[in-house]
Amino acid sequence: MSKKPRESAAEGESEFLASYDPSKYERFSVAVDVVLVAAFEGDLSTLLVPRDEHPFKGQHALPGGFLRKDETLEEAATRVLRSKANLTGVFLEQLYTFGEPGRDPRTRVISVAYYALVDEARFRAAGERAVRTGRIRVPWEGETGGPVKVVDEKGRALPLAFDHADIVGMAVKRLRGKLDYAPVGFQLLGETFTLLELQRVHETVLGRPVNKDSFRRRMLASGQLEATGRAQSGVDHRPAELYRFARRSAV
């Protein structure tokens, strides 16, 4: 009696995939949402998109979009920033995955959130597009976490769609937590900056003042600053020395 030819692993997998029926399992959508953060004038600011369709018509949402079949999560987040804020080459990091059932009344949607950091000039340029800028109001201290509010230039609350208040709050919590051990603060500044400007960014992120002398000593000893050999110009006080960040990362 002849033996049946032994099936190779590749042939077995090909047959399995050919007969595989994905309709046996529930389907859901995957989206990315991006919290774009800037720090200036004593506030953290973010970019919002007014919703002119249901659900949450008349409210505001973070820039986002559904994941395409042929792209990675990071590519999707990069696409969202490019298409909705005309931004490329900025600091971008995955934040958290939000998957509470019912977070989107249309269908089951899993959102992978990212946060992006830019300096004031690039943020203002992005805000000139068909989007809305808002200032973040954090009702908790330290790294407690929780939802936050976003207000307009007159201090009026901008209602946020879906669970985006939680996503913005998570971004603030992450920023505060990383400020002392990762160089995220530099991503909120221009190419060159003074120590006072760096201090103000840290205070804005933390939501509290820091000791000027100890902050400067710590920053100068960190190895993250590089003196430019130049000073401020066009100021009506003694020009301060300009520094740059020794290492920048972007996508």
Side-chain angles (χ1 to χ4, degrees):
M1 183 176 180
S2 62
K3 291 184 178 181
K4 183 179 180 180
R6 189 171 183 177
E7 181 185 72
S8 70
E11 290 172 337
E13 182 168 306
S14 296
E15 290 180 3
F16 167 77
L17 292 176
S19 62
Y20 181 76
D21 182 10
S23 65
K24 291 181 179 179
Y25 304 94
E26 290 188 66
R27 309 293 290 272
F28 55 86
S29 298
V30 178
V32 294
D33 291 299
V34 183
V35 187
L36 180 66
V37 180
F40 56 92
E41 296 179 354
D43 283 309
L44 289 176
S45 293
T46 193
L47 212 62
L48 299 173
V49 179
R51 290 190 59 82
D52 54 10
E53 296 180 354
H54 294 294
F56 302 104
K57 184 176 181 179
Q59 297 190 25
H60 297 77
L62 294 168
F66 288 101
L67 182 70
R68 294 174 180 171
K69 189 176 181 179
D70 60 347
E71 66 183 355
T72 66
L73 290 165
E74 189 168 296
E75 287 170 345
T78 301
R79 169 175 56 82
V80 165
L81 280 176
R82 184 175 60 250
S83 64
K84 298 191 176 182
N86 197 29
L87 283 171
T88 58
V90 303
F91 175 93
L92 182 69
E93 183 174 275
Q94 192 173 125
L95 177 64
Y96 195 76
T97 300
F98 293 80
E100 188 71 21
R103 61 178 300 275
D104 189 320
R106 295 170 294 188
T107 186
R108 183 73 193 275
V109 178
I110 308 298
S111 176
V112 181
Y114 282 77
Y115 72 103
L117 307 177
V118 292
D119 61 88
E120 178 183 357
R122 298 193 73 184
F123 181 85
R124 290 189 183 278
E128 292 176 356
R129 294 172 63 86
V131 291
R132 183 78 180 266
T133 61
R135 302 192 176 200
I136 301 171
R137 293 289 180 263
V138 183
W140 35 267
E141 297 181 357
E143 298 172 46
T144 304
V148 300
K149 290 182 179 180
V150 179
V151 301
D152 64 13
E153 62 279 359
K154 294 183 179 180
R156 297 172 298 196
L158 298 171
L160 300 183
F162 307 103
D163 52 1
H164 289 188
D166 295 292
I167 297 178
V168 178
M170 180 67 74
V172 174
K173 181 179 179 180
R174 175 71 62 84
L175 268 177
R176 288 183 176 182
K178 294 190 71 169
L179 203 56
D180 282 336
Y181 71 87
V184 292
F186 299 103
Q187 309 294 342
L188 297 165
L189 291 160
E191 189 65 30
T192 61
F193 49 85
T194 67
L195 286 175
L196 179 59
E197 289 170 336
L198 179 59
Q199 178 184 332
R200 286 174 175 166
V201 161
H202 277 243
E203 291 176 334
T204 298
V205 172
L206 295 171
R208 59 174 174 80
V210 300
N211 181 275
K212 177 180 177 180
D213 293 334
S214 62
F215 175 81
R216 292 187 174 214
R217 284 195 300 270
R218 180 161 56 88
M219 288 294 104
L220 291 172
S222 68
Q224 297 176 340
L225 295 180
E226 182 180 281
T228 65
R230 296 182 286 114
Q232 286 176 302
S233 60
V235 294
D236 56 3
H237 53 77
R238 182 181 177 182
E241 186 174 2
L242 290 172
Y243 293 85
R244 67 168 62 93
F245 177 42
R247 302 176 303 280
R248 282 185 180 267
S249 62
V251 296

